[in-house]
Amino acid sequence: MAKIYCNDDVDMNVLKGRKIGIVGYGNQGRAQTLNIRDSGFEPMVANRDDDYKHKAIEDGFEVHPIDHVAKEADVLLLLIPDEVQPQVYHDQISPHLKAHDVLCFASGYNVYYNTIERPQDVGVIMVAPRMIGKAVRNLYENGLGFPCLVAWEQNGHNPSIAIALALAKAIGATRLGAFESSFKEEVLIDLFAEQILWPGIIKLCLLYFEKLIKSGCDPEVVTTELHLSGEFVEIAKAMITHGFFGQLKLHSQTSQYGQLSRMDRMAPPELLANIDRAMEEISSGQFHAEWSKEQKDGKPNMRRLWQQAIDHPLVQSEAKLETLRKIVADPYDSRC
Ligand code: NAI
């Protein structure tokens, strides 16, 4: 079992006297910067000139150019999108790194795919929250935590381990638990969910919708059943409260039998082959190469795929149910 670190296992003093720099003030950047400040540190914020910079100023930070913070900081958190990190790192960060600096990533992507050349005497760590930025902040403000994965490169720069854990504590993660992991493991669990789990669920939802419409059902009734009622979310919450299978007891006996007896049918050999293929594409770097090329080409496939998605009749049906959607999304603020 992975080693799990909680608040009492971690000493934040290792960060005292080290200048913490944060590059990026977006989803994770804003949340982590505010949490680190509320944990008693004075992070320096770096951002290019855009709306995020103005948000940081509104929150009371002085915002600096990225190369300035790269020069000043001893511990530098890279909280900009993974796909822009290699260029920003190459142009504005790497020329300013000094021996014993520590670079902290919030995902394993660029370390695992080796897109960033790291000097031997710079520590490389990962503190990857398993939580969206907004909730990283909300939970912290309410005295709660969230899980995160931590990792460090084995380059003999030992303080990196203590710094990774101290940062995990400063952002509030060790209130729940920081799991010792690796850059590779973070990439595998993240991309595999993105390429198998979520698209599998989305595709099944679309097939469910299409078949029921063909069978004469009303699109708006089906859309409500599918996700707009909020039952989907309640089932996911019940999985946490009662267990992955334990929540089945909240459904009728007919439902329980239907689900358990038909579950294995949903995994024919073709699906199992696709699961293997996705894992191979992710771990070999084939997907990374495809995605890098797509970005270099100006994302033509991404645009086509988006268009195809939003042209689906489910989206039209959803639009007709806008009032219902707003009420379910925010029951206390909306009225029918
Ligand atoms: P984001 O999309 O919110 O990033 C926006 C920030 O990046 C802004 O500060 C913007 O000024 C800056 N930025 C964008 N393009 C730039 C460029 N070309 N040059 C300089 N700055 C640029 O990023 P997000 O989602 O917070 O992701 C940051 C890191 O956190 C990534 O490594 C991601 O994998 C990781 N992560 C994200 C999670 C999430 O909830 N979004 C969850 C866990 C990890």
Side-chain angles (χ1 to χ4, degrees), residues 24-29 47-48 50 52 66 78-82 84-85 88 92 106-107 128-133:
Y25 204 74
N27 293 316
Q28 287 296 325
N47 210 90
R48 64 179 185 178
D50 60 14
Y52 297 100
I66 296 173
L78 252 76
L79 296 176
I80 55 178
D82 294 325
V84 306
Q85 284 180 12
V88 172
Q92 300 172 68
S107 88
R130 313 319 294 161
M131 192 57 69
I132 55 170

Side-chain angles (χ1 to χ4, degrees), residues 229-244:
S229 67
E231 191 188 27
F232 206 114
V233 179
E234 293 302 326
I235 291 172
K237 282 190 197 157
M239 281 181 173
I240 303 171
T241 312
H242 301 283
F244 193 78

Side-chain angles (χ1 to χ4, degrees), residues 247-261:
Q247 56 81 26
L248 281 179
K249 300 256 172 69
L250 303 176
H251 303 254
S252 69
Q253 290 266 322
T254 311
S255 167
Q256 291 174 34
Y257 180 74
Q259 293 189 51
L260 292 170
S261 65

Side-chain angles (χ1 to χ4, degrees), residues 135-176:
V136 164
R137 180 61 184 157
N138 285 344
L139 289 162
Y140 183 96
E141 284 182 303
N142 288 301
L144 302 169
F146 47 87
C148 90
L149 301 183
V150 286
W152 36 84
E153 248 181 2
Q154 307 293 327
N155 59 357
H157 188 62
N158 261 348
S160 312
I161 302 168
I163 289 172
L165 293 172
L167 284 172
K169 185 168 181 174
I171 65 171
T174 49
R175 291 172 178 177
L176 193 79

